[in-house]
Amino acid sequence: MPGYPNLFQPLDLGLVTLPNRILMGSMHTGLEARPDGIGRLAAFYAERARGGAALIVTGGFSPNDAGNLGPHRAQFSSIEDAERHRPVPEAVHRHGGRIVLQLLHSGRYGFHERIVAPSAVKSPINPQAPREMTATEIERTIADFAAAAALAREAGYDGVEIMGSEGYLLTQFLAVRTNRRTDAWGGPLERRLRFPAEIVRRVRAAAGSDFIIVYRISALDLVEGGLSSADIVQVARSIESAGASLLNTGIGWHEARIPTIAQAVPRGAFAWATRRLKEAVRIPVVASNRINAPEVAEAILAAGDADMVSLARAMLADPAFAEKAKKGDRAGINICIACNQACLDHYFIGQPASCVVNPRAGRETKLNYVSVLRKKRIAVVGGGPAGLSCAAVAAERGHEVTLFERAGELGGQFNLAKRIPGKQEFAESIAYYAERLRRAGAAVVLNKAPTAHELGGFDEAVIATGIDPRRPDIPGIDHPKVAGYAEILSGARQAGPEVAILGMGGIGFDVALYLLERDSRATLDPEAFAEHWGIAPDGSLRDLVPPEVKKKITMLKRSTTPFGHSLGRTTGWVHRAELARNGVRMLKGVSYRRIDDAGVHINVEGRDSVVPADTVIVCAGQEPRRELKGGHYIGGAREAGELDAKRAMLEGAQLAAQL
Ligand SMILES: Cc1cc2nc3c(=O)[nH]c(=O)nc-3n(C[C@H](O)[C@H](O)[C@H](O)COP(=O)(O)O)c2cc1C
Ligand code: SF4
């Protein structure tokens, strides 16, 4: 196969031969427990099977009540559950795919009253301590896994994935961090690994020899008291002997203080840890995390680091990833930019997972782009995220679309975002949408802001002109040392060595990261990343090297909410950790008095002081840019708030689906 020969090699699992090396990684979509969830899940997975993923893993389902992750039941333990699930494997099989059900027992990571674990040791990221399991409960839990696997077979699944990574129950048994038992299930590693090995053995016995058993092993724990690399190899060998067909990998416990899937993580950053396992076992081994482009997947396979690659979020961003890669159509692939905004962050706000750059993800039964019967002439004004999304869908549906952009390039605020270390991949989204416009025959007119009169000749006008940064009313705001965030991020102005940032939303944090002039290699190169975050070559943790601080930065905000509270739930901590490490000072509850030669004069809790600064950068929100009247407003032009690419792209697609 030209382009990606290793990726499109069949893989013989003994029981079945998979057509390629692409596994769709497990993602809890938030649909699992909804009344209309199964139909939507069936459509969601069917689309990914049609797109060429060789093996799909569902999101995690608990084999019993105690193992549920949250108050909503995402459980798979009864004949009714098996009956309810039937449409999912059926839909996948209709499209020639294979699907396994993930069995995940949350252990101490559950958010409810009934959580259990090998020992009553509270997790730092959960409010409640678990109850220690009795020996009888341990036996019963193993039986529950086996029963759930047999039911998965009844439901039509091709197999199960047993979740043994990321700090969930099985990992809690393996690590001394969480297993303090002195009975037959605790103590030396041979006893701690009995629980996961016994689960695999009993699942094999219950589900039969022709059932796929994937075991997701923690290739790196990244916590104190986790397993050493030698321990992990020993676990892998026992799991293989117990009857697993495939060894998938997971990286880091959820409580680890090292990013494992955020934008700060380079592509394919952890493949080296998978290699160690591949060398130790005979069953195929799957590499995971931040594999988002076919060339990354191909390089991992070609280097012999793994036999297969897991793509989770990449499959949200583009369900046809595999099919496009097979054709060598790299420019046609919508790349996951690891923002987590519409996928993992949604879990924490109780919304179904979707994708910023592909708003159809998770909405397969609701948001469909149907060819038009009557072609309209549509003007889209603004080539930022909202305009790009709207113009691409409208043109693909068959409308005659003209996209006007007043700047000399497409992308809008994405062009600023791509300059932040770790956010370079925003450039991928701009290129991808530009390519879709080109293929759909949309006209793109750059350096042009049309007048209302010029829009008169179109059947529909879509106003996606974005935002204008807000300039707060502070005495001295016109001082020459004051700059807007766009001036700094675009490189039009340089900040001096002492900086005050007014505003601590997403942009304030982005600007601070940009100003650190951090060596962005740590976000691009796996070795530099490991060094930056203190991961030793054997997977153990070491002390972080203090960075060389080049700028003295103070961030200020009027509100008294926690620092960075508007940042993504699953990524904000990474930014806060990076800034703290670089000595960035943060102040809240600030009243601004004035800006002058000395810096920013403030009052906090009744006390006046001056924040010395040679550059003051305003990141104080934005207003909708609406100089054009009439038409459909979408994105920032409709509502500014925090810059919100997720809403912008969704509104663009939803409007275009109806025009
Ligand atoms: C929305 C979402 C839900 C997830 N749910 C699960 C899950 O239920 N079980 C699991 O093993 N991993 C889960 N993961 C982790 C993914 O399987 C994967 O390890 C992670 O996203 C990194 O891989 P990627 O860079 O290919 O996305 C989830 C990830 C996301 C984004
Ligand atoms: S929302 Fe962001 S991280 Fe999630 S799949 Fe889409 S691009 Fe990737």
Side-chain angles (χ1 to χ4, degrees):
M1 184 61 51
Y4 311 109
N6 288 282
L7 198 49
F8 292 96
Q9 278 290 321
L11 179 65
D12 185 3
L13 290 185
L15 333 164
V16 289
T17 300
L18 301 176
N20 62 51
R21 305 299 177 109
I22 299 176
L23 172 143
M24 173 173 165
S26 170
M27 281 177 292
H28 190 88
T29 60
L31 296 172
E32 288 74 5
R34 296 203 166 214
D36 63 347
I38 288 295
R40 290 175 67 181
L41 278 178
F44 172 77
Y45 290 123
E47 197 152 316
R48 273 95 195 144
R50 192 167 60 233
L55 183 62
I56 293 174
V57 185
T58 68
F61 287 87
S62 174
N64 61 26
D65 176 59
N68 270 295
L69 257 171
H72 299 295
R73 182 181 184 276
Q75 196 171 318
F76 192 88
S77 57
S78 67
I79 191 70
E80 290 77 27
D81 292 327
E83 285 300 324
R84 204 171 73 87
H85 272 244
R86 274 186 192 286
V88 174
E90 261 169 31
V92 169
H93 294 155
R94 252 196 318 277
H95 293 285
R98 289 198 167 79
I99 182 162
V100 301
L101 178 92
Q102 189 185 68
L103 296 175
L104 181 157
H105 190 303
S106 59
R108 70 175 190 161
Y109 274 171
F111 284 87
H112 55 84
E113 303 284 304
R114 307 169 305 283
I115 55 174
V116 294
S119 304
V121 183
K122 189 176 122 25
S123 130
I125 55 172
N126 287 67
Q128 202 180 327
R131 187 172 54 73
E132 179 175 312
M133 293 167 84
T134 64
T136 312
E137 275 176 316
I138 293 174
E139 294 286 358
R140 204 182 310 133
T141 303
I142 296 170
D144 290 340
F145 270 90
L151 287 168
R153 191 182 174 113
E154 273 295 307
Y157 284 106
D158 300 287
V160 288
E161 176 172 273
I162 297 167
M163 179 45 164
S165 68
E166 261 104 333
Y168 291 111
L169 184 68
L170 276 63
T171 12
Q172 291 161 28
F173 268 88
L174 287 169
V176 289
R177 179 180 179 84
T178 39
N179 185 344
R180 314 273 164 85
R181 301 180 76 95
T182 51
D183 63 2
W185 304 100
L189 183 62
E190 302 79 67
R191 295 219 298 254
R192 283 181 276 130
L193 64 72
R194 273 187 66 217
F195 182 67
E198 200 50 33
I199 287 176
V200 175
R201 218 180 327 275
R202 297 271 289 279
V203 163
R204 176 57 78 210
S209 57
D210 57 345
F211 199 57
I212 301 173
I213 299 179
V214 186
Y215 184 88
R216 191 165 199 193
I217 193 170
S218 182
L220 285 172
D221 282 349
L222 303 180
V223 288
E224 299 295 342
L227 298 195
S228 69
S229 53
D231 290 348
I232 293 169
V233 162
Q234 193 178 333
V235 173
R237 290 194 174 128
S238 320
I239 296 299
E240 177 179 36
S241 316
S245 340
L246 201 62
L247 202 58
N248 191 3
T249 50
I251 306 293
W253 289 34
H254 287 319
E255 66 207 65
R257 291 291 88 188
I258 294 174
T260 54
I261 75 170
Q263 287 172 326
V265 180
R267 294 173 169 190
F270 302 106
W272 57 272
T274 310
R275 185 186 188 96
R276 217 167 37 207
L277 295 173
K278 180 169 153 53
E279 284 164 358
V281 297
R282 285 179 309 273
I283 53 175
V285 174
V286 188
S288 173
N289 287 49
R290 288 290 276 131
I291 303 170
N292 64 346
E295 65 276 15
V296 180
E298 177 66 21
I300 290 170
L301 297 172
D305 289 344
D307 304 286
M308 210 174 173
V309 285
S310 164
L311 280 65
R313 293 167 300 167
M315 289 284 169
L316 286 177
D318 198 329
F321 181 102
E323 189 185 74
K324 291 175 185 172
K326 191 171 178 187
K327 283 194 252 162
D329 182 14
R330 171 65 172 83
I333 298 179
N334 196 0
I335 295 287
C336 161
I337 55 174
C339 63
N340 284 1
Q341 269 174 272
C343 53
L344 207 50
D345 285 348
H346 271 203
Y347 178 78
F348 293 96
I349 52 172
Q351 282 185 22
S354 184
C355 174
V356 167
V357 296
N358 173 25
R360 258 200 93 233
R363 297 188 175 92
E364 286 75 12
T365 57
K366 293 173 180 291
L367 182 58
N368 281 302
Y369 309 142
V370 182
S371 298
V372 293
L373 297 173
R374 191 175 76 80
K375 188 178 198 152
K376 293 184 193 170
R377 295 190 68 225
I378 297 177
V380 178
V381 188
L388 285 173
S389 167
C390 184
V393 174
E396 284 163 357
R397 290 188 58 218
H399 289 306
E400 186 184 326
V401 174
T402 304
L403 174 65
F404 296 98
E405 166 55 50
R406 70 176 188 162
E409 58 180 353
L410 292 174
Q413 298 285 324
F414 274 14
N415 284 313
L416 296 181
K418 75 184 185 196
R419 301 176 65 94
I420 316 294
K423 294 198 173 183
Q424 301 89 339
E425 288 184 336
F426 276 88
E428 290 268 11
S429 309
I430 304 173
Y432 163 77
Y433 272 91
E435 179 64 14
R436 268 176 73 179
L437 292 176
R438 194 186 65 73
R439 291 183 189 186
V444 174
V445 186
L446 298 176
N447 300 305
K448 173 78 182 162
T451 61
H453 179 71
E454 285 169 315
L455 295 180
F458 289 88
D459 299 318
E460 307 271 3
V462 179
I463 313 299
T465 41
I467 52 91
D468 282 316
R470 187 181 296 140
R471 217 152 160 86
D473 191 13
I474 303 170
I477 194 75
D478 294 323
H479 192 284
K481 69 169 59 172
V482 178
Y485 68 81
E487 289 174 293
I488 297 291
L489 291 179
S490 66
R493 279 184 68 177
Q494 305 297 319
E498 214 163 15
V499 179
I501 297 175
L502 312 190
M504 262 197 248
I507 302 267
F509 275 83
D510 275 354
V511 167
L513 279 174
Y514 174 79
L515 292 177
L516 293 179
E517 294 174 20
R518 184 157 66 85
D519 180 358
S520 57
R521 266 185 335 120
T523 65
L524 297 171
D525 167 44
E527 241 175 81
F529 169 83
E531 198 176 311
H532 184 78
W533 289 97
I535 309 171
D538 66 355
S540 61
L541 303 180
R542 52 185 178 203
D543 290 340
L544 300 184
V545 181
E548 183 199 342
V549 175
K550 296 182 188 149
K551 282 202 193 324
K552 202 169 161 195
I553 301 173
T554 307
M555 299 176 72
L556 308 158
K557 67 172 184 174
R558 291 188 212 255
S559 81
T560 51
T561 50
F563 297 121
H565 86 293
S566 64
L567 302 179
R569 265 301 280 269
T570 59
T571 51
W573 69 270
V574 184
H575 302 316
R576 281 193 296 269
E578 195 66 68
L579 296 187
R581 205 168 145 184
N582 282 274
V584 173
R585 194 161 70 112
M586 299 185 188
L587 297 175
K588 58 185 174 182
V590 172
S591 302
Y592 300 113
R593 297 282 191 235
R594 65 180 187 283
I595 299 167
D596 63 16
D597 289 347
V600 188
H601 295 253
I602 59 170
N603 181 285
V604 181
E605 291 179 346
R607 283 191 38 228
D608 286 329
S609 61
V610 183
V611 176
D614 46 51
T615 311
V616 176
I617 305 173
V618 180
C619 306
Q622 37 276 321
E623 311 280 358
R625 185 184 292 149
R626 283 197 190 156
E627 59 262 40
L628 278 173
K629 300 286 176 238
H632 308 272
Y633 291 97
I634 55 172
R638 191 172 83 80
E639 188 187 322
E642 272 272 310
L643 282 185
D644 191 345
K646 179 179 76 176
R647 183 175 58 79
M649 298 201 101
L650 174 61
E651 283 178 7
Q654 281 174 329
L655 174 64
Q658 290 160 15
L659 284 175

